[in-house]
Amino acid sequence: MLRGKTALVTGSTSGIGLGIAQALAAEGCAIMLNGFGDTAAIERLRRDLVNRHEVKVVYNGADLSRPEQVRELVADAAARLGPVDVLVNNAGIQHVAPIEQFPEAKWDAIIAINLSAAFHAIKAALPAMRNRGWGRIVNIASAHGLVASEDKAAYVAAKHGLVGLTKVAALEAASSFVTCNAICPGWVLTPLVEKQIADRAAANKTSVEYEQRELLREKQKLLAFTTPEQIGAMVVFLCGEAASTMTGAAWSVDGGWVAQ
Ligand code: NAD
């Protein structure tokens, strides 16, 4: 079903986005990669995807904090691969601090990258999806799109906003058979979370292994990290026939985090 379709995955040079790009490439999608990182390492990732899955893979390093670059990214994907059929808004950053000490610039950056970029990308990609009467939009939100934690004001606000945007996009696009869903992961061991674990180990004078166990114990009944591959498989499912009437929902993949 996905063979020959074009997928744009934002923030796909690392972590969850890379897992999603790999899963969609394995289904036969042409992939537009996006994200920051070492140029040679990104080129290796790109070539590896091409060799393993025999699909077209291109890269655009658009900075998603800049609305005009988000629009150019969608246009570039369409120009080089064909109009975007599958849009995965995944790029995201984190900053951890109490509100009184939260830097304004960090608030602005998190809202821009984790929330506004998804709006600009959906706005740019939706017309071509409507024209073809098919499209899949998947927003990578978080357990923090449904519940809060201390010291994550911008992230929790952005992710709650992303779940709201998901619902509105789903309602507006439904008449064109375009679906829009959010995935809400719990802990996934990626550079974004590894930094939080390392910071905690340094602050508490403990080990990384100890803080990994504590992180899980604080939030999830099921004491295991979700993998990027599992989130990739969930995206593939949401793009498939079985999910063609699933829209406007926030799907938890979180070890029981928000069930409590
Ligand atoms: P990560 O740090 O491994 O990857 C983030 C990606 O976004 C990278 O490719 C990075 O280059 C890219 N990126 C960052 N700023 C960008 C910008 N301005 N423009 C373009 N690309 C940019 O993090 P991850 O854990 O894989 O996170 C991916 C998404 O999953 C994020 O939205 C995050 O909030 C969400 N998420 C992560 C977890 C987790 O436990 N790791 C849990 C729930 C939700």
Side-chain angles (χ1 to χ4, degrees):
M1 172 153 187
L2 288 174
R3 187 149 295 280
K5 293 211 168 3
T6 295
L8 162 56
V9 185
T10 69
S12 44
T13 53
S14 168
I16 293 172
L18 181 56
I20 295 168
Q22 281 166 338
L24 289 170
E27 294 297 313
C29 285
I31 306 288
M32 168 58 90
L33 293 173
N34 158 261
F36 298 150
D38 174 67
T39 309
I42 293 171
E43 177 54 19
R44 275 197 300 280
L45 282 181
R46 193 195 68 76
R47 241 183 287 138
D48 183 55
L49 282 174
V50 172
N51 293 339
R52 266 203 284 158
H53 304 296
E54 296 181 342
V55 291
K56 269 194 181 178
V57 183
V58 296
Y59 166 74
N60 179 312
D63 177 350
L64 298 192
S65 67
R66 311 271 300 275
E68 72 284 2
Q69 293 194 24
V70 179
R71 289 188 282 273
E72 283 162 19
L73 173 64
V74 173
D76 189 37
R80 292 159 80 187
L81 301 173
V84 174
D85 301 294
V86 176
L87 168 65
V88 184
N89 290 304
N90 165 78
I93 58 168
Q94 176 63 284
H95 185 79
V96 180
I99 290 173
E100 295 99 311
Q101 277 115 54
F102 211 94
E104 281 89 6
K106 286 284 181 196
W107 169 274
D108 289 343
I110 290 175
I111 298 298
I113 296 164
N114 297 18
L115 175 58
S116 301
F119 161 74
H120 296 298
I122 292 169
K123 186 174 178 191
L126 193 50
M129 291 180 179
R130 281 195 195 282
N131 278 342
R132 295 191 307 294
W134 195 92
R136 295 284 181 269
I137 301 166
V138 182
N139 296 323
I140 306 303
S142 167
H144 284 123
L146 303 171
V147 295
S149 296
E150 289 158 48
D151 300 337
K152 295 187 174 176
Y155 189 86
V156 169
K159 295 298 188 181
H160 275 69
L162 189 56
V163 170
L165 172 64
T166 301
K167 295 177 185 175
V168 176
L171 295 178
E172 292 185 11
S175 61
S176 303
F177 301 99
V178 174
T179 69
C180 180
N181 287 284
I183 296 177
C184 297
W187 294 123
V188 185
L189 205 51
T190 66
L192 183 137
V193 166
E194 281 161 358
K195 180 177 182 311
Q196 294 175 56
I197 292 168
D199 289 350
R200 282 172 55 138
N204 301 336
K205 299 191 171 32
T206 55
S207 69
V208 163
E209 294 70 28
Y210 174 82
E211 293 297 344
Q212 281 187 1
R213 284 195 299 276
E214 281 306 292
L215 209 68
L216 289 171
R217 216 188 310 277
E218 282 166 17
K219 298 292 188 184
Q220 299 191 186
K221 270 291 176 201
L222 200 157
L223 297 174
F225 289 95
T226 299
T227 65
E229 290 73 22
Q230 288 166 332
I231 304 292
M234 183 69 183
V235 171
V236 168
F237 176 76
L238 288 173
C239 292
E241 179 57 32
S244 53
T245 60
M246 294 165 67
T247 197
W251 303 101
S252 291
V253 186
D254 69 358
W257 183 326
V258 306
Q260 301 171 79

